[in-house]
Amino acid sequence: MTSIQFANVTKTYHLKREVYRSLASQCNEAFLRILKPHSDTKDYIHALDNVSFEITQGESVGIIGANGAGKSTLLRLIANISKPTSGTITVHGQIAPLLEVGAGFHPELTGRENIFLNGVILGMSKHDIRKCFDQIVTFAELDKFIDSPVKLYSSGMYIRLGFSVAVHSNFDILLADEIFAVGDYRFRMKCLDKFGLLKKQGKTIVLISHSLEQLQKHCQRGILIRRGKIVIDAEIEQVCNQYQNMEQM
Amino acid sequence: MIRYLADFIRYRELIELLTAREIKARYKQSALGILWALFQPAIMLILFSAIFTKIVRMPTGDTPYPVFLLSGLIPWLFFSNALNAAIPSLVSNADLIKKIYFPRVIFPLASIMAAAFDFLIACSLLVVLLIYFKIKLTFWLLLLPLFIFLEFMLIVSIALLLSALNVFYRDVKNALANLIQIAMFATPVIYPLSVIRPNLQKLLLLNPMTGIVECFRNVLVMGTAPNWNFFFISAILTIALFTTAHHLFKKLEPNFADSI
Ligand SMILES: Nc1ncnc2c1ncn2[C@@H]1O[C@H](COP(=O)(O)OP(=O)(O)O)[C@@H](O)[C@H]1O
Ligand SMILES: [Mg+2]
């Protein structure tokens, strides 16, 4: 069964866009555009450029590519957080996203409160969460810190909690963006065990990592992205080799 | 509207959690805690009552001025507090919006619910005043939930419209905070509609809060039937606003995460 399908997906961003746009700066832009038409027509980038692939249920796929290649954009599109500029995306199943260090926690709330908030967002009921609350905390190894605000957590603790809530939720597809980069050795070993278990349960896993060694342990398939385009979509070893060759050139 | 209600039920627990979070965050580490919800209306009550009974007399008929004032002030403060919290709600939850998907409507809704909580607490002040001035209640009071619902829908409409625009133009929040303060004087909160010239009255009715405040006051302190004409003007304005806001929000929602 198909889990994720991308058909000719393109995502463009405007480059010049300021994070905080005020009315004044927009008027200014509009004014410049009148003075110098066509000056900023090149100000957009294709974060993803006509990408097509299909992932079947139970597959574990590693996404590889240099910084700015479009990997995080790809995951955001799968998670429905941002919409493609063109093309169609079909996703079957509940998604548990762990995107760019953090699962969407509220910094002022405690670990406990965030488990409930995050769990409910992931589609669990409060009752479900209460039932596996202890398991979540134990898995994240945060017993002592569970009642402190998460803004005091280290990035490793943060990702441990996010991962723990995510894997205890009732998901079909797990998306993880560079979670090993901040996790320690112990956490990585734990992930390895857990991923093995999840794969046996038929969950779909999509991972972004710069550690080829990690990807080879976790995934069977790899997708290599370069400047928004898929270079190769094949067995993980083959993809890793090609990536290494490409980077050494 | 039915879709919103369905979302509301489906995401009930999430709205509850976010609302509780907002209330908690507001009263955490404050000694007086929840009493602050009474502080704002109480201060305004004392101030305006002093001015309009001791210095200038406001012609409010048989109704004692403090009760008259508070019956308008409480729905007004709900309106202004809810909007001031709901309009920046998407931007202040950027962390969540960038990392996980669920209907974004939930953020302004939770802010409004938290303000509704303060509204209920402030209502206790009104109860005290109604008893103190021995105001006779009538069966018209039973219509009050209808007006609260209308006000709620009006707040939701404006909040949807402006919280979405605030993602793209941060000016909205600041502009609105000032505008709301001024708008209180364009609503019959501290004065009765009767002191306004008739042609200006018509203009004031274009402000949907005018009808709502008047209806509140009619059934609560006057004990009379609400002015149905005023009610329908406000209701029609609210429906028009809601339809516009709903379409705009749906159109802008997919771009929130990229632009926030
Ligand atoms: N919200 C955004 N607005 C503008 N440009 C963006 C946005 N998000 C990503 N980009 C751009 O898209 C490109 C791909 O980014 P990303 O997917 O984060 O790369 P990576 O492969 O390192 O995860 C980058 O050039 C980045 O600058
Ligand atoms: Mg990235």
Side-chain angles (χ1 to χ4, degrees):
Chain A
M1 207 184 87
T2 311
S3 189
I4 303 163
Q5 188 178 26
F6 271 49
N8 309 103
V9 170
T10 296
K11 177 77 190 178
T12 45
Y13 286 115
H14 293 276
L15 249 187
K16 248 193 180 168
R17 201 179 259 189
E18 286 169 33
V19 181
Y20 295 100
R21 301 224 296 174
S22 71
L23 212 56
S25 76
Q26 293 222 342
C27 290
N28 196 17
E29 269 171 43
F31 190 63
L32 285 176
R33 220 172 291 139
I34 296 166
L35 285 183
K36 291 191 279 181
H38 312 301
S39 66
D40 61 352
T41 44
K42 276 181 195 153
D43 272 352
Y44 56 84
I45 41 156
H46 293 295
L48 287 178
D49 190 359
N50 202 15
V51 168
S52 302
F53 62 86
E54 195 179 318
I55 295 174
T56 45
Q57 198 194 321
E59 261 191 302
S60 43
V61 181
I63 311 283
I64 311 175
N67 291 332
K71 308 178 296 296
S72 299
T73 304
L74 185 90
L75 251 56
R76 276 200 296 273
L77 289 175
I78 299 175
N80 195 20
I81 289 165
S82 96
K83 291 279 190 301
T85 312
S86 68
T88 47
I89 298 170
T90 329
V91 174
H92 298 284
Q94 171 82 34
I95 295 174
L98 289 166
L99 305 180
E100 291 169 287
V101 190
F105 286 143
H106 193 271
E108 296 291 335
L109 295 185
T110 65
R112 180 187 303 274
E113 290 165 323
N114 267 304
I115 289 178
F116 277 93
L117 190 61
N118 206 232
V120 169
I121 293 174
L122 289 174
M124 297 160 91
S125 70
K126 275 199 236 171
H127 180 75
D128 295 341
I129 302 168
R130 241 174 259 124
K131 266 200 300 195
C132 61
F133 186 84
D134 291 336
Q135 264 171 289
I136 294 176
V137 178
T138 314
F139 186 85
E141 298 179 18
L142 286 171
D143 306 71
K144 261 192 284 176
F145 305 95
I146 203 63
D147 287 310
S148 346
V150 298
K151 67 179 174 188
L152 304 178
Y153 286 16
S154 73
S155 48
M157 289 158 73
Y158 206 89
I159 202 66
R160 263 175 11 224
L161 187 61
F163 184 78
S164 184
V165 180
V167 296
H168 284 90
S169 76
N170 189 21
F171 70 97
D172 306 296
I173 304 167
L174 181 71
L175 307 175
D177 193 344
E178 301 189 19
I179 57 168
F180 305 117
V182 290
D184 55 15
Y185 177 75
R186 206 178 138 83
F187 173 70
R188 270 181 259 163
M189 294 316 283
K190 242 177 162 171
C191 286
L192 195 61
D193 282 352
K194 196 74 192 176
F195 277 139
L197 211 68
L198 294 174
K199 272 181 253 173
K200 275 200 206 103
Q201 293 169 355
K203 312 269 189 194
T204 307
I205 298 169
V206 184
L207 284 183
I208 296 177
S209 177
H210 288 293
S211 156
L212 301 184
E213 180 201 349
Q214 289 293 326
L215 286 178
Q216 282 173 342
K217 273 188 213 154
H218 292 303
C219 311
Q220 306 116 28
R221 177 178 163 193
I223 296 178
L224 174 55
I225 302 182
R226 187 160 182 255
R227 296 197 191 131
K229 287 194 163 78
I230 293 185
V231 180
I232 176 176
D233 175 355
E235 283 220 343
I236 192 75
E237 274 80 19
Q238 202 184 334
V239 176
C240 287
N241 287 338
Q242 178 142 356
Y243 178 58
Q244 275 167 331
N245 293 338
M246 204 169 77
E247 291 302 298
Q248 276 155 15
M249 272 198 310
Chain B
M1 194 123 126
I2 291 174
R3 275 252 307 287
Y4 276 93
L5 287 179
D7 266 0
F8 202 87
I9 292 162
R10 176 156 175 239
Y11 291 96
R12 191 182 48 98
E13 289 201 323
L14 184 53
I15 295 175
E16 266 172 37
L17 276 173
L18 287 172
T19 306
R21 174 188 105 186
E22 208 156 317
I23 295 170
K24 246 189 250 165
R26 196 139 21 105
Y27 297 121
K28 230 178 206 176
Q29 300 187 357
S30 76
L32 287 180
I34 250 162
L35 288 178
W36 281 112
L38 292 173
F39 188 75
Q40 187 193 18
I43 281 286
M44 290 175 85
L45 178 70
I46 293 166
L47 188 71
F48 285 122
S49 294
I51 296 173
F52 291 115
T53 57
K54 299 279 183 291
I55 302 172
V56 209
R57 279 207 55 81
M58 196 60 97
T60 53
D62 297 335
T63 318
Y65 185 75
V67 195
F68 171 89
L69 172 68
L70 199 63
S71 64
L73 202 54
I74 282 181
W76 175 262
L77 288 177
F78 177 33
F79 179 79
S80 80
N81 290 341
L83 285 182
N84 277 325
I87 285 162
S89 65
L90 290 171
V91 172
S92 54
N93 283 295
D95 257 6
L96 274 172
I97 288 181
K98 279 193 288 195
K99 299 226 164 102
I100 198 156
Y101 177 76
F102 54 91
R104 310 311 193 189
V105 177
I106 284 173
F107 293 114
L109 273 185
S111 299
I112 296 170
M113 298 301 282
F117 175 79
D118 282 0
F119 166 74
L120 288 180
I121 291 179
C123 279
S124 64
L125 201 61
L126 191 59
V127 173
V128 171
L129 239 60
L130 287 175
I131 295 169
Y132 179 79
F133 285 100
K134 301 198 177 64
I135 303 290
K136 280 209 189 65
L137 300 179
T138 61
F139 278 111
W140 290 113
L141 192 62
L142 296 177
L143 282 175
L144 200 60
L146 178 67
F147 308 136
I148 295 177
F149 177 72
L150 179 62
E151 182 177 0
F152 182 77
M153 290 313 294
L154 175 67
I155 293 170
V156 169
S157 310
I158 301 176
L160 285 182
L161 200 68
L162 297 183
S163 63
L165 286 178
N166 191 51
V167 172
F168 304 95
Y169 308 97
R170 303 294 155 94
D171 318 64
V172 171
K173 180 189 138 197
N174 298 327
L176 205 90
N178 290 306
L179 199 68
I180 290 178
Q181 273 184 332
I182 298 165
M184 189 176 99
F185 299 98
T187 312
V189 175
I190 57 172
Y191 56 84
L193 204 54
S194 58
V195 302
I196 304 289
R197 267 187 289 143
N199 47 351
L200 217 64
Q201 276 189 21
K202 290 203 185 81
L203 204 65
L204 276 195
L205 278 170
L206 287 178
N207 164 5
M209 274 308 282
T210 300
I212 291 171
V213 165
E214 282 293 307
C215 289
F216 258 80
R217 202 166 263 155
N218 285 153
V219 302
L220 207 62
V221 294
M222 318 278 186
T224 59
N227 186 327
W228 288 114
N229 285 339
F230 288 8
F231 175 79
F232 283 115
I233 293 172
S234 288
I236 289 166
L237 287 171
T238 302
I239 291 169
L241 258 173
F242 183 82
T243 318
T244 318
H246 166 81
H247 285 292
L248 189 91
F249 198 90
K250 277 281 162 289
K251 199 164 176 292
L252 295 179
E253 190 177 13
N255 302 324
F256 286 165
D258 290 337
S259 308
I260 215 157

